[in-house]
RNA sequence: CGGGGUGUAGCGUAGCCCGGUAUCGCGUCUGCUUUGGGAGCAGAAGGUCGUAGGUUCGAAUCCUGCCACCCCGACCA
């Protein structure tokens, strides 16, 4: 195996795949389309989870857990939802294996152990959850019901890519029920804001908040809101969605409540989710040809200390390093001292760069005697001498700088790859040139959207919430348009 | 599911056309020397050649079935 990664320039896709494996984030498993998330990758996911979970709790949500399996009769209750997911469901039909009489030592499915009703492995949990909510909700006093669950789901995708699209993935799904449409819409928008804040503050990933067109809407939703991000190859990635479900699921599962006034009404629903796909976004947005670049807020290890020493001097040096290590830890900075005696410094430098640790301190007796340490920041590769006297403050500040700096870099890339166009020719030229978001008028019909997708592979990513109304004409049909949409080729 | 391709050590591979002792690199292990940007030398371990059958004195190599994976398409919130 070559020491260097393929570059983004020569093969973006190979760069991504190699990076995910070499940084120890995930690998393909023995199961088609399913990945093994390795400890270092899972540590990043755990940091995402912890932060998001805090944000959910702060907005009044509680966690619960619902079954992996959904009886087919429940699954099919909300027709649009069922239809939307039907083609990618794993289905359990039997419950027992037996020895195969024809092939000694092998097992086969016991033909007598067929389930009376097939079980669908959840591709999303609306069905099982709403069938439960029917029992939980009787009165306006039971509302709003604000539940989240951390779970795995299965969608039998034809083509998979580590983190970006896998047959099984981890996510959270919030499912809420409300007395009024207004409240439910407010919840939908609130959670979109939570996602956007998380993406920008923690992943350092600038996102556009918007609403999906009917073509791209979640199956069973009245409206789908989303955050869209731009990757370094000019393709967009949907990073999170929040759905206003109207009364669709309440009606399908007969979830009604008595109002204060004594009436009987269906509740209003929302659902919202982000998945391990955020890992893909994180990787593709910031990393470079040397490996992963992690925002300090999500880095499992924020500072790695590499001791520089000669044979026999390691223990003595580690003693001198300890106060620095403890000082950083007391500041709440996660620090690792790479005291492996089996690898040389150059190897360690390269390895921690591959793993995206934001700050590296190389410390030898020479530095300590001079009252300095050498710091290297991962994002810019810049090296600087920090005075030993205030190393904790300096590193703390450095981590904040890095968090901000990689956000600004991603924002600059996004802004310089967002192009307003007024003709279809310009539209195509941008897509085939720099790529990125293309902001254009179109007539708002599904037909035009389909046509554009067929001809250019670009889809409407969203109608941004903050995009002002503006009269114009559709770049394809010339019909009037009141608003620009954001298009892009997407993952 | 359609078209194309590939299965050889932990990983990446040569050998296959034209049958005859299993090739090389990385990694791993041991020892010594090294250690401020991916160390050097010496030695060692590691293989049902995807799987089942066939042809043959003899199969990684030829033939057939099966399985798995990859790429392109279809599919994709």
């Amino acid at each position: 195996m070559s020491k260097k990664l393929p570059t983004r320039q020569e093969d973006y896709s190979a760069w991504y795949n190699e990076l995910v494996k070499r940084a120890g984030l995930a690998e393909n498993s023995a199961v088609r389309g399913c990945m093994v998330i390795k400890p270092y990758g899972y540590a990043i996911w755990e940091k995402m989870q912890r932060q998001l979970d805090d944000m959910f709790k702060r907005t009044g949500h509680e966690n619960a857990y619902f079954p992996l399996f959904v009886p087919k009769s429940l699954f099919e209750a909300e027709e649009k939802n069922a239809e939307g997911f039907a083609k990618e469901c794993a289905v359990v039909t039997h419950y027992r294996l037996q020895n195969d009489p024809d092939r000694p030592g092998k097992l086969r499915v016991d033909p007598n152990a067929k389930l009376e009703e097939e079980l669908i492995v959840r591709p999303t949990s609306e069905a099982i959850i709403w069938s439960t909510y029917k029992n939980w909700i009787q009165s306006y006093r039971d509302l709003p019901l604000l539940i989240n669950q951390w779970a795995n789901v299965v969608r039998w995708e034809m083509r998979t890519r580590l983190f970006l699209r896998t047959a099984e993935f981890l996510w959270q799904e919030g499912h809420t029920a409300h007395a009024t449409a207004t409240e439910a819409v407010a919840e939908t928008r609130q959670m979109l804001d939570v996602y956007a804040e998380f993406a920008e503050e923690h992943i350092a990933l600038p996102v556009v908040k918007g609403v999906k067109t009917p073509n791209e809407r979640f199956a069973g939703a009245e409206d789908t809101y989303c955050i869209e991000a731009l990757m370094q190859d000019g393709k967009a990635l949907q990073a999170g969605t929040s759905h206003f479900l109207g009364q669709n699921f309440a009606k399908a599962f007969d979830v009604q409540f008595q109002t204060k006034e004594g009436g009987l009404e269906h509740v209003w629903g929302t659902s919202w989710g982000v998945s391990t796909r955020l890992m893909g976004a994180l990787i593709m947005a910031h990393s470079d040809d040397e490996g992963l670049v992690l925002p300090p807020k999500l880095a499992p290890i924020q500072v790695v200390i590499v001791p520089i020493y000669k044979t026999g001097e390691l223990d003595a040096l580690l003693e001198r390093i300890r106060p620095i290590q403890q000082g950083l830890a007391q500041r709440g900075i996660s620090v690792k001292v790479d005291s492996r005696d089996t690898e040389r410094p150059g190897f360690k430098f390269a390895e921690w760069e591959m793993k995206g640790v934001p700050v590296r301190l190389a410390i030898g007796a020479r530095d300590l005697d001079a009252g300095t340490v050498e710091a290297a920041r991962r994002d810019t590769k810049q090296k600087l001498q920090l005075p030993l006297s205030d190393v904790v403050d300096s590193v703390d500040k450095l981590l904040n700088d890095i968090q901000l700096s990689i956000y600004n870099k991603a924002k600059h890339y996004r802004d310089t790859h967002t192009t307003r166009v007024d003709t279809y020719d310009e539209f195509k030229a941008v897509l085939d040139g720099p790529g990125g978001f293309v902001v254009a008028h179109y007539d708002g019909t599904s037909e035009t959207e389909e046509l554009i997708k067929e001809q250019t592979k670009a889809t409407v990513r969203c109608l941004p919430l903050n995009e002002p109304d503006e009269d114009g004409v559709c770049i394809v049909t010339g019909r009037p348009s009141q608003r620009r949409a954001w298009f892009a080729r997407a993952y």
Side-chain angles (χ1 to χ4, degrees), chain A residues 275-317:
Chain A
S275 71
T276 36
R277 182 181 245 205
L278 285 179
M279 295 284 294
L282 169 68
I283 297 157
M284 285 200 294
H286 303 309
S287 300
D288 63 22
D289 296 342
E290 264 66 53
L292 192 61
V293 173
L294 288 173
K297 286 186 182 177
L298 293 177
I301 299 168
Q302 294 171 308
V303 176
V304 65
I305 296 176
V306 178
I308 310 291
Y309 60 96
K310 301 212 181 300
T311 304
E313 296 174 359
L314 177 58
D315 290 343
L317 181 61

Side-chain angles (χ1 to χ4, degrees), chain A residues 12 164 195-196 199-200 203-210 212 226-240 277-278 280-286 407 410-411 413-415 417-418 436-437 461-462 486-491:
Chain A
Y12 192 82
L164 296 175
Y195 288 156
E200 304 215 331
I203 310 181
L205 182 67
V207 293
V208 188
K209 289 187 278 190
K212 288 288 189 192
C226 62
I227 52 173
E228 292 283 331
L230 195 60
M231 303 295 107
Q232 291 182 68
D233 61 346
K235 286 170 80 174
L237 182 76
Q238 177 178 297
R277 182 181 245 205
L278 285 179
L282 169 68
I283 297 157
M284 285 200 294
H286 303 309
Y407 173 81
K411 178 96 166 25
Y413 180 86
R414 204 273 309 274
D415 291 344
H417 289 78
T418 299
F437 289 116
R461 300 319 302 157
C462 68
W486 284 42
F487 290 84
R489 290 186 182 138
Y491 279 98

Side-chain angles (χ1 to χ4, degrees), chain A residues 169-182:
Chain A
F169 56 91
L170 305 184
W171 75 345
Q172 58 71 218
E173 45 182 330
H175 296 271
T176 70
H178 307 263
T180 65
T182 311

Side-chain angles (χ1 to χ4, degrees), chain A residues 56 61 81 85 123-127 129-130 133 145-149 155 171-178 183-192 195 217-226 240-246 248-249 268-274:
Chain A
F56 300 156
H61 302 87
N81 186 249
F85 285 102
T124 180
S125 300
E126 275 78 6
I129 288 179
W130 280 89
Y133 281 2
L145 182 57
L146 306 173
I147 303 283
N148 174 66
Q149 87 164 344
R155 298 180 185 179
W171 75 345
Q172 58 71 218
E173 45 182 330
H175 296 271
T176 70
H178 307 263
E183 264 184 58
V185 170
E187 165 78 4
T188 310
R189 294 287 294 269
Q190 171 185 248
M191 297 324 286
L192 186 73
Y195 288 156
R217 190 178 288 157
F218 176 76
E222 293 290 308
D223 262 319
T224 288
Y225 294 85
C226 62
T241 48
S242 185
H243 315 291
F244 170 59
L245 303 176
N248 294 341
F249 285 87
W268 299 81
T270 83
S271 67
W272 29 275
V274 294

Side-chain angles (χ1 to χ4, degrees), chain A residues 32 49 72 85 291 311 316 335 348 361 381 419 468:
Chain A
R32 194 201 70 97
Q49 277 187 303
K72 188 162 77 67
F85 285 102
T311 304
V335 53
K348 293 178 181 177
L361 301 178
K381 312 277 168 54
T419 315

Side-chain angles (χ1 to χ4, degrees), chain A residues 3-24:
Chain A
K3 287 173 178 175
K4 296 253 179 235
L5 287 173
T7 66
R8 289 163 291 179
Q9 187 78 43
E10 63 192 26
D11 189 343
Y12 192 82
S13 180
W15 165 81
Y16 174 82
N17 288 329
E18 271 297 302
L19 171 50
V20 169
K21 287 175 200 156
R22 298 267 295 277

